[in-house]
Amino acid sequence: MKLVTPTLVVEDVDGFKNDALQRKSFGEALSNLVTRTSDELVISLDGKWGEGKTTFVKMWQGLLKEKGVPSIYIDAFQNDYTEDAFISIASAITAYVGQHAIQAEKSSEFSDKAKKVGIRLLSWSAKIGIKTATLGIIKESDIEALSEIGDDIATDTSETVATLVQDRLSTHSKENEIIQSFRESLSGVPETITDNKSGRLVVIIDELDRCRPSFAVEVLEKIKHLFSVKNVVFVLVMHKEQLEEAIRCVYGSNIDAHTYLQKFINIEATIPKRVTDRHSNDLDAYIARLLHLHELETWGDNRLIQDCLSSLGRHFNLSLRQLEKVFTNLAIIYSTSAKNQLRLVPIITFISTVKVVKPSVFSKILLGRISYTELISETELQFINNESNERNLIRIMDWVRFSILTDAEYKAINETDNITRLSQSLWEYSVDRERLLPMFCEKLNMFTVN
């Protein structure tokens, strides 16, 4: 039995070998889009947190490798401690070219041009940063300490911001030449890479929405102005709504973040998610996979677990990541229970899910401080009834209601109510009705796996 969902193994080649969500066809379409155009192409891949975006692009890299398309993966979140997005991206490309270039001199040429652009950007930002911070008053020793970043660092202590702007104007033409030379060199990089059958280079930048807002926006701007060239395709993996929020954080709440973001992206795509087919959808497919991966000793409960979690997953719109956490909770309950102990799947799956999506509700259940009416209201289950075509949810909520009603409420229910028959299931276990929810919550509350 495994408490934590094992990391999916993605093959270097045949990346979609373990594709439980059937996303290979989308990967094929994206590959065709990339290889059949030489445009300056920036593609966004949108998806909410926990929907498998990173897993998809890792699989897609395997497919690209099969097709002879070189690709670079950059985790933007791991690089946002730096102050310069250009350095983060350029260094990743430089390192890849250094390892895969047909001719060493081509790698060296690109590296040198990237270095020149980096020095220009760093020297200008350093001067502006220092001058605005000190209002034009700067020590000679400070200037000397910064001399290594470029030969254009000023040494005149009376320099003002206006003089810096004039300096910027006078060197504008030279900087344009340096940047243009860099862009031309980058556009020629794909043809220098060994075993490149496509003439393209794909650069995948992941986790943009998790970065500091200023760094995320800088990545977008640097790609647009410095890296967007023919033959090099950028795929930006993001949660679009979150990235738009980052844009508003940097430029103010009044900016049209959607329109601003479109300035940097040529093609928008969304991570595919099968939801309409009740018998073939991502939710059910991933639940089945997690049942297999966690190796739960369910003693015949698998079908019932699948049915209950499928209904709960649809109701709470669980992401794949949230499903993994639910299965960790299930594994805790199953691994700490003896084989002959009572395990009611409707209740176990319910509290395992609620602890993930509604932790405050879980705490109230644990402490016995919530009524059934409050519970269904806070979990938005008050509209589930016999006419809702959600038999599994009705079964779950029958058990929850059976467990949570007070003695007075329970005695007042009609004898034809379904929950009156549930007590028969408890006879051999000597468990009081009112102890069911707290008992399983206490077991689950003993451990938390992050």
Side-chain angles (χ1 to χ4, degrees):
M1 189 180 300
K2 293 180 172 60
L3 293 178
V4 180
T5 303
T7 302
L8 180 68
V9 176
V10 179
E11 306 289 344
D12 286 341
V13 179
D14 192 12
F16 286 96
K17 181 179 179 179
N18 298 314
D19 177 25
L21 305 179
Q22 299 181 25
R23 290 174 172 175
K24 184 175 182 178
S25 59
F26 176 68
E28 291 276 9
L30 188 57
S31 300
N32 292 335
L33 185 68
V34 163
T35 57
R36 292 175 183 174
T37 178
S38 61
D39 293 337
E40 300 177 4
L41 196 59
V42 179
I43 302 171
S44 68
L45 181 59
D46 179 35
K48 293 182 178 179
W49 178 86
E51 293 295 350
K53 301 187 297 297
T54 297
T55 299
F56 169 78
V57 294
K58 291 287 189 179
M59 289 181 167
W60 186 53
Q61 281 191 283
L63 181 62
L64 290 175
K65 189 171 183 178
E66 284 183 62
K67 296 177 178 293
V69 184
S71 65
I72 301 170
Y73 176 86
I74 301 173
D75 185 334
F77 182 61
Q78 288 187 352
N79 287 276
D80 85 339
Y81 66 90
T82 65
E83 295 300 324
D84 193 336
F86 174 84
I87 297 298
S88 298
I89 300 170
S91 61
I93 298 174
T94 300
Y96 185 88
V97 174
Q99 294 174 1
H100 299 88
I102 300 172
Q103 299 174 332
E105 57 267 26
K106 292 291 184 181
S107 171
S108 179
E109 175 188 325
F110 174 75
S111 178
D112 288 343
K113 291 182 178 180
K115 189 182 299 182
K116 288 180 180 179
V117 173
I119 288 174
R120 278 293 184 184
L121 293 173
L122 183 58
S123 64
W124 177 248
S125 63
K127 284 197 291 187
I128 290 297
I130 291 166
K131 283 298 180 180
T132 53
T134 60
L135 299 178
I137 304 170
I138 186 167
K139 298 177 183 178
E140 184 70 22
S141 59
D142 293 329
I143 289 292
E144 291 173 355
L146 290 166
S147 62
E148 292 182 2
I149 67 172
D151 57 7
D152 60 335
I153 292 291
T155 58
D156 184 357
T157 56
S158 64
E159 233 179 16
T160 63
V161 173
T163 307
L164 284 174
V165 172
Q166 183 61 43
D167 176 53
R168 176 69 164 169
L169 293 173
S170 66
T171 60
H172 180 67
S173 178
K174 182 179 179 181
E175 290 181 352
N176 272 351
E177 290 177 10
I178 292 173
I179 291 172
Q180 186 58 32
S181 178
F182 166 77
R183 287 169 54 83
E184 290 173 0
S185 178
L186 177 59
S187 183
V189 159
E191 66 182 23
T192 72
I193 297 174
T194 183
D195 297 326
N196 188 351
K197 301 175 183 178
S198 65
R200 307 286 181 272
L201 171 64
V202 176
V203 182
I204 300 166
I205 299 185
D206 196 6
E207 306 283 17
L208 261 179
D209 47 292
R210 295 181 64 195
C211 296
R212 287 180 291 110
S214 58
F215 185 79
V217 171
E218 188 186 354
V219 168
L220 292 173
E221 294 174 345
K222 288 293 195 295
I223 289 172
K224 174 68 174 180
H225 299 302
L226 299 174
F227 291 96
S228 183
V229 298
K230 288 185 177 181
N231 303 320
V232 178
V233 177
F234 279 85
V235 177
L236 310 181
V237 186
M238 64 179 72
H239 181 195
K240 185 178 176 183
E241 289 182 10
Q242 192 65 38
L243 194 56
E244 288 177 353
E245 190 60 37
I247 292 169
R248 282 188 283 268
C249 182
V250 172
Y251 290 112
S253 58
N254 292 329
I255 190 172
D256 184 345
H258 173 74
T259 301
Y260 181 84
L261 185 57
Q262 287 182 321
K263 291 166 52 180
F264 304 99
I265 296 168
N266 307 113
I267 302 290
E268 294 186 23
T270 302
I271 195 79
K273 187 177 180 181
R274 297 173 299 152
V275 294
T276 54
D277 190 338
R278 290 288 291 270
H279 304 288
S280 178
N281 57 72
D282 286 357
L283 184 67
D284 286 340
Y286 205 56
I287 291 171
R289 182 172 188 82
L290 290 172
L291 273 168
H292 170 72
L293 289 176
H294 278 269
E295 301 173 358
L296 300 179
E297 296 177 357
T298 58
W299 299 297
D301 291 341
N302 283 23
R303 183 68 259 175
L304 186 53
I305 291 173
Q306 176 89 40
D307 291 343
C308 288
L309 284 184
S310 178
S311 294
L312 288 166
R314 283 193 299 274
H315 175 75
F316 289 111
N317 192 26
L318 295 181
S319 69
L320 304 182
R321 192 77 51 82
Q322 287 175 317
L323 270 177
E324 292 176 1
K325 291 182 178 295
V326 170
F327 265 85
T328 291
N329 289 338
L330 284 176
I332 288 173
I333 292 176
Y334 275 93
S335 64
T336 55
S337 302
K339 185 173 182 179
N340 61 347
Q341 279 188 313
L342 173 65
R343 287 177 303 179
L344 291 170
V345 171
I347 287 182
I348 291 171
T349 52
F350 177 75
I351 63 170
S352 294
T353 303
V354 167
K355 188 177 181 184
V356 172
V357 297
K358 301 282 186 179
S360 61
V361 174
F362 175 84
S363 297
K364 292 178 183 178
I365 296 172
L366 175 68
L367 299 172
R369 295 178 180 173
I370 189 168
S371 68
Y372 180 71
T373 301
E374 292 169 334
L375 176 63
I376 60 174
S377 175
E378 293 191 36
T379 55
E380 300 178 2
L381 284 159
Q382 66 267 43
F383 302 113
I384 302 299
N385 52 50
N386 291 325
E387 298 177 0
S388 64
N389 198 31
E390 276 291 358
R391 288 176 296 174
N392 292 318
L393 281 182
I394 293 171
R395 178 193 299 181
I396 291 168
M397 296 317 296
D398 279 348
W399 272 107
V400 172
R401 184 161 62 99
F402 171 74
S403 175
I404 207 171
L405 290 181
T406 64
D407 282 339
E409 290 170 330
Y410 186 72
K411 290 175 181 179
I413 64 176
N414 191 299
E415 290 184 1
T416 60
D417 194 310
N418 288 335
I419 70 170
T420 59
R421 298 190 295 271
L422 299 181
S423 60
Q424 299 172 14
S425 303
L426 304 180
W427 288 347
E428 63 180 292
Y429 295 102
S430 300
V431 178
D432 292 335
R433 173 183 64 82
E434 302 92 333
R435 280 293 301 155
L436 285 176
L437 275 174
M439 178 181 69
F440 288 117
C441 285
E442 287 164 9
K443 186 179 290 289
L444 182 53
N445 196 55
M446 288 191 293
F447 306 98
T448 299
V449 180
N450 296 318

